[in-house]
Amino acid sequence: MESPDHLRKMYHKMKQSGYQIWSDPTNGESGPEEEFDPDIIIVGAGVAGAALAYTLGKDGRRVRVIERDLSEPHRIVGEVLQPGGYLKLLELGLRDCVENIDAQRMIGYAIFKDGKRAKLPYPLEKFNSDVAGRGFHNGRFVQKMREKAATLPNVQLKQGTVTSLLEENGTIKGVQYKTKAGQELKAYAPLTIVCDGCFSNLRRSLCNPKVDVLSSSVGLILEHCKLPFPNHGHAILADPSPFLFYSISSTETRCLVDIPAGQKLPSLANGDMAKYLKRVVAPQVPPELHDAFISAVDRGNIRTMRNGSMPATPCPKPGALMIGDAFNMRHALTGGGMMMALSDIVVLQNILRNLRDLKDTDLLSKHLESFYTLRKPVAFTINTMAGALYKVSSASADQARKEMHEAVFDYLSIGGVFAKGPVSLLSGLNLRPMSLLLHFSAAGIYGVGRLLIPFPTPKRLWSVVRLISDKSVERVHVFLLEISV
């Protein structure tokens, strides 16, 4: 949390620059509600909310954003923007939001397993030289987007906690929120868009949330170290589950260690987490990063965050919509969250451009219904990719899962089309569901082939049966995702 003095300086600096911030974040005082009659209320000013505010404001909408805390957030996720997400950022006119925050280019991934390693470059040949992934501090990125949104005279940022949606005769009319000073206020608009993140307290009003906690991420920062493959994300296929290294500034490398949900999370307070990282994780860290990793553990600035999965199951109500992690979540391993949010914003922008009068509730509802259909192909690919990669990247005592674990690494290590196809999906440069299913099937066939060569034995044949059975379950899971996202 930023200090009151820091918040006050930021507030006055933004006001002097012409930003439309109508409440002082240091005292919770409210500006004159009557001076601003919004077309749209946005709940939350994280990545999704801030980007959406600028996008709709640029299209001429009067937008009021209500955010719980306008100070710079400090998170351990939301730090990798895949190339596909960067292209959406360009499309929305937000390219400058990754400038001057010491963001680091990412041009591919490197995967490590049992001492073996393989480099998997993004297929960027057909794009301009600036197109690549980006690694950065999430808070710096969010603040840049908030500042850009606030430069528009028809976008208003307010600090407050939305406590409920205002509903009349089944239609959402606005929100009720509380200022920092404790004052209860109401705000009204023809359309309310909820994007208050993975811990949303409003999602039950607009969807049927079924959150499945998959694991926890343990985050720490390595300082002044060189990655084995510069400008690449590093994925270590470890036991019991994968962990990542990627640059978030010119001097800092983020390490995210995954701890499966079925395993008790070691305590930070009594030192068990530090012991776990040194005993279980450190021996699997690439040698080039080992000393920096131990130093980061010893410094003790270790944070945790849960990884959840939640399919999109909307309960549409006239006058409201929900996007971002409040609406749909997937495992953070593939860095698809921001890409999905920006893609949803592009879809929503195109829908609303065809509708000038938001006060016609029936017409607005008909237009918004198409949002759920239009987002499906991209959501299907991103969500399925995240779930499947996490599953096959994690160690397992099951022999069939072990074989698939090995097969995926070897399949990607072949290179050529075998690596380019999956990496184009991971990067968001190819989000066609059929491409995803094609490579899933190819990896499964490759895994079966490994077991039957040089000749099948009863044990190998049984593993094939188990492997095919596991892939069949996966296909059912894929189908369920397709009809639910």
Side-chain angles (χ1 to χ4, degrees), residues 60-87:
R61 304 291 186 182
R62 295 186 302 276
V63 180
R64 172 176 292 161
V65 185
I66 304 174
E67 161 60 34
R68 180 183 61 83
D69 186 358
L70 284 171
S71 62
E72 182 176 318
H74 297 282
R75 304 183 67 202
I76 63 170
V77 293
E79 297 173 319
V80 172
L81 183 66
Q82 297 284 10
Y86 181 75
L87 289 174

Side-chain angles (χ1 to χ4, degrees), residues 118-431:
K119 187 166 69 169
L120 308 173
Y122 292 140
L124 299 171
E125 300 85 1
K126 298 180 181 179
F127 299 93
N128 293 331
S129 59
D130 68 309
V131 176
R134 295 293 191 279
F136 43 64
H137 282 272
N138 173 270
R140 296 176 187 175
F141 180 54
V142 168
Q143 288 300 84
K144 287 279 284 190
M145 288 199 293
R146 289 175 179 175
E147 291 170 7
K148 180 149 187 169
T151 60
L152 298 175
N154 52 319
V155 174
Q156 176 196 91
L157 273 69
K158 294 182 71 71
Q159 182 160 293
T161 300
V162 174
T163 54
S164 63
L165 301 176
L166 300 176
E167 185 173 343
E168 295 179 12
N169 300 320
T171 299
I172 302 300
K173 297 293 187 179
V175 300
Q176 180 166 314
Y177 66 99
K178 183 182 292 186
T179 68
K180 187 176 179 180
Q183 184 181 12
E184 293 275 1
L185 297 173
K186 295 180 180 180
Y188 297 89
L191 176 60
T192 298
I193 303 175
V194 175
C195 38
D196 56 346
C198 60
F199 301 112
S200 172
N201 65 335
L202 301 175
R203 61 164 58 110
R204 291 188 180 279
S205 300
L206 299 173
C207 74
N208 291 316
K210 297 177 182 178
V211 179
D212 182 17
V213 178
L214 303 174
S215 64
S216 294
S217 285
V218 180
L220 55 159
I221 292 178
L222 283 60
E223 296 180 347
H224 303 287
C225 68
K226 291 184 179 180
L227 290 168
F229 298 94
N231 300 111
H232 285 68
H234 290 55
I236 289 75
L237 308 186
D239 188 358
S241 53
F243 54 94
L244 305 173
F245 294 96
Y246 52 87
S247 297
I248 57 174
S249 78
S250 55
T251 61
E252 297 166 301
T253 298
R254 169 68 72 194
C255 175
L256 275 185
V257 176
D258 186 88
I259 297 181
Q263 181 175 323
K264 182 180 178 181
L265 189 68
S267 170
L268 287 169
N270 65 10
D272 283 351
M273 178 64 77
K275 294 176 183 176
Y276 174 87
L277 293 173
K278 289 182 177 181
R279 186 185 77 254
V280 177
V281 180
Q284 303 180 80
V285 171
E288 301 95 322
L289 300 173
H290 182 271
D291 290 348
F293 178 81
I294 295 298
S295 295
V297 174
D298 288 340
R299 282 195 300 274
N301 187 19
I302 303 170
R303 302 178 64 191
T304 64
M305 184 172 180
R306 75 179 188 186
N307 292 310
S309 173
M310 186 184 77
T313 53
C315 297
K317 288 187 179 180
L321 187 75
M322 188 160 54
I323 68 169
D325 283 351
F327 178 53
N328 185 200
M329 295 188 292
R330 77 290 307 152
H331 198 282
L333 176 68
T334 55
M338 291 191 291
M339 182 164 57
M340 188 69 249
L342 295 172
S343 176
D344 278 353
I345 291 169
V346 170
V347 171
L348 184 58
Q349 178 188 35
N350 291 331
I351 291 172
L352 293 180
R353 276 178 172 169
N354 298 321
L355 185 64
R356 297 313 304 174
D357 182 14
L358 299 183
K359 294 182 180 179
D360 187 333
T361 304
D362 291 338
L363 186 59
L364 175 61
S365 295
K366 289 180 181 179
H367 277 72
L368 293 181
E369 283 176 7
S370 65
F371 170 77
Y372 303 110
T373 301
L374 293 172
R375 74 182 296 274
K376 270 193 174 185
V378 172
F380 166 68
T381 302
I382 292 176
N383 292 344
T384 306
M385 191 74 176
L389 274 184
Y390 178 67
K391 183 177 180 181
V392 300
S393 297
S394 300
S396 173
D398 181 84
Q399 188 59 37
R401 290 279 300 277
K402 281 184 178 180
E403 290 294 340
M404 200 62 209
H405 189 66
E406 293 281 350
V408 167
F409 180 87
D410 290 345
Y411 179 83
L412 293 172
S413 299
I414 294 172
V417 67
F418 301 100
K420 187 175 182 179
V423 173
S424 69
L425 290 161
L426 172 67
S427 64
L429 297 174
N430 173 12
L431 291 171

Side-chain angles (χ1 to χ4, degrees), residues 2-70:
E2 305 287 349
S3 68
D5 286 344
H6 179 84
L7 284 174
R8 189 174 291 109
K9 290 177 182 178
M10 181 186 75
Y11 166 74
H12 288 300
K13 179 181 177 182
M14 295 176 79
K15 288 287 286 184
Q16 290 168 4
S17 299
Y19 297 168
Q20 298 297 306
I21 300 180
W22 290 74
S23 62
D24 186 337
T26 64
N27 58 26
E29 293 177 359
S30 173
E33 299 284 328
E34 68 277 3
E35 293 185 19
F36 195 87
D37 183 24
D39 301 309
I40 298 169
I41 292 171
I42 296 175
V43 181
V47 171
L52 182 62
Y54 174 76
T55 300
L56 298 181
K58 186 179 61 173
D59 284 352
R61 304 291 186 182
R62 295 186 302 276
V63 180
R64 172 176 292 161
V65 185
I66 304 174
E67 161 60 34
R68 180 183 61 83
D69 186 358
L70 284 171

Side-chain angles (χ1 to χ4, degrees), residues 99-112:
E99 297 174 354
N100 301 316
I101 60 172
D102 202 14
Q104 302 298 297
R105 284 172 55 85
M106 284 183 61
I107 58 173
Y109 270 84
I111 54 175
F112 297 72

